[in-house]
Amino acid sequence: MPKPEHPLISLVDYAELVAAKKHSEVNTIVADYYSISVKRDLREKMRYGQQSYDFDDGVMYFMAPGQVLQTTPVVDDMQPKPSGWILLIHPDFLWNTPLAAAIKRHEFFNYSVNEALFLSEKEELVLHNLIQNIRQEYQANIDRFSQSIIISQIETLLNYSERFYQRQFITRKIANHQVLDRVDKLLTDYFANDTLSQKGLPSVQYVADALNISASYLSGLLKVLTGQSTQQHIHDKLIEKAKEKLSTTDLSVSEIAYGLGFEHPQSFSKLFKTKTSLSPLEFRASFA
């Protein structure tokens, strides 16, 4: 990479990178900066967490400081020259600005590489224009306005990225509804098991791991499709099971609570009333 023109922020054009000596070793990167990238025809395979992704097509992805990325170069002289850009932002550049806290609320920084954002040409042009504004500003002479102007451009870029991710959740309906079906089946099978008292309630991370999807991406997808997070889906399935036991068995509320993985019956009763506006006993009485 070329020497950065700013100590805390850098914009790199992939087309201008000098290719390293060909090798096939896996390179592991743990960055201490935020990374926002649009890549096409990159001559390596990317691995993030347990997922591999092939960047032969143009996609956008995000990384936060401390995340681990592995790359394996692909030796193929027939491949087209890689293109795209990568924006590197050190957290210190955001210090004492609203974006320092706001950037952590963008869940796509916690998505896996295989959950990248696929951009339309129109969307990519919007982001390209913002990137050019950032490039122009940080290549100019630094003055007291420089940081604020660049920060505002980054904020706009992240907001557009949120919009484009919401679009992707909607436009990939078939694949996304298949995920929803898998969530429903997973939770149905889990709550059908009579060992809930030993296993406890399924966590959001358990559901995400079982589906091989990052927890943040799963919740974001479910919110768009259903208006509810993964945790709310877990609670809804729990309430379904609780209603079944209250209406078809003579088990006490405490026995039902323990059987559903609750350590304290009061926690179960509180959740049940929040979800149904009735206490467990009031619900049971409605079947009398």
Side-chain angles (χ1 to χ4, degrees), residues 19-162:
K21 183 179 178 181
K22 292 181 180 180
H23 58 87
S24 59
E25 295 88 0
V26 174
N27 301 305
T28 301
I29 303 168
V30 182
D32 59 356
Y33 46 76
Y34 289 97
S35 169
I36 305 171
S37 308
V38 170
K39 304 181 179 182
R40 291 177 225 87
D41 303 310
L42 196 60
R43 297 183 182 183
E44 58 190 4
K45 306 302 179 185
M46 314 292 285
R47 187 171 184 84
Y48 176 57
Q50 299 302 314
Q51 296 296 320
S52 295
Y53 195 84
D54 185 346
F55 281 94
D56 291 340
D57 295 320
V59 293
M60 185 177 190
Y61 86 103
F62 307 80
M63 285 186 65
Q67 293 178 335
V68 179
L69 178 69
Q70 290 183 331
T71 65
T72 302
V74 177
V75 180
D76 184 357
D77 293 331
M78 300 302 293
Q79 280 190 308
K81 185 175 178 62
S83 61
W85 49 264
I86 178 171
L87 179 64
L88 309 173
I89 310 164
H90 195 281
D92 288 353
F93 185 73
L94 309 178
W95 181 78
N96 205 30
T97 72
L99 187 56
I103 196 170
K104 298 175 183 177
R105 294 196 288 270
H106 291 286
E107 294 184 341
F108 45 69
F109 278 104
N110 295 315
Y111 293 171
S112 298
V113 164
N114 68 312
E115 297 156 351
L117 177 57
F118 291 78
L119 298 166
S120 69
E121 290 184 8
K122 184 177 180 180
E123 290 169 346
E124 190 169 342
L125 180 60
V126 170
L127 299 181
H128 175 78
N129 291 336
L130 288 168
I131 285 296
Q132 292 309 308
N133 290 341
I134 293 173
R135 185 194 302 276
Q136 178 179 332
E137 189 61 37
Y138 93 87
Q139 286 180 338
N141 293 330
I142 298 175
D143 58 29
R144 66 190 184 92
F145 298 100
S146 301
Q147 183 187 25
S148 297
I149 292 173
I150 294 175
I151 289 290
S152 67
Q153 297 294 318
I154 295 173
E155 287 178 324
T156 303
L157 186 150
L158 294 176
N159 287 333
Y160 270 113
S161 299
E162 285 279 8

Side-chain angles (χ1 to χ4, degrees), residues 117-269:
L117 177 57
F118 291 78
L119 298 166
S120 69
E121 290 184 8
K122 184 177 180 180
E123 290 169 346
E124 190 169 342
L125 180 60
V126 170
L127 299 181
H128 175 78
N129 291 336
L130 288 168
I131 285 296
Q132 292 309 308
N133 290 341
I134 293 173
R135 185 194 302 276
Q136 178 179 332
E137 189 61 37
Y138 93 87
Q139 286 180 338
N141 293 330
I142 298 175
D143 58 29
R144 66 190 184 92
F145 298 100
S146 301
Q147 183 187 25
S148 297
I149 292 173
I150 294 175
I151 289 290
S152 67
Q153 297 294 318
I154 295 173
E155 287 178 324
T156 303
L157 186 150
L158 294 176
N159 287 333
Y160 270 113
S161 299
E162 285 279 8
R163 168 184 279 181
F164 299 156
Y165 254 116
Q166 298 303 305
R167 184 271 308 156
Q168 179 163 294
F169 287 143
I170 294 170
T171 55
R172 297 190 162 209
K173 285 185 177 180
I174 294 177
N176 292 339
H177 278 282
Q178 287 174 343
V179 171
L180 180 58
D181 291 342
R182 290 168 62 199
V183 170
D184 186 68
K185 184 179 186 305
L186 175 69
L187 293 177
T188 297
D189 292 345
Y190 191 99
F191 282 102
N193 196 312
D194 292 330
T195 61
L196 264 173
S197 57
Q198 286 79 43
K199 296 191 303 181
L201 294 175
S203 66
V204 172
Q205 192 62 53
Y206 169 86
V207 175
D209 289 344
L211 299 179
N212 211 17
I213 300 174
S214 68
S216 297
Y217 188 88
L218 178 60
S219 281
L221 186 154
L222 292 178
K223 283 179 183 177
V224 171
L225 293 180
T226 69
Q228 294 188 311
S229 66
T230 309
Q231 186 67 67
Q232 289 171 317
H233 276 272
I234 293 172
H235 286 165
D236 282 352
K237 191 61 67 173
L238 167 72
I239 296 303
E240 284 182 22
K241 191 68 176 179
K243 286 180 176 179
E244 176 188 328
K245 289 183 175 294
L246 286 166
S247 60
T248 62
T249 74
D250 293 326
L251 295 172
S252 69
V253 172
S254 294
E255 289 173 325
I256 292 174
Y258 292 133
L260 292 175
F262 284 85
E263 294 183 9
H264 306 290
Q266 297 90 336
S267 299
F268 163 69
S269 296

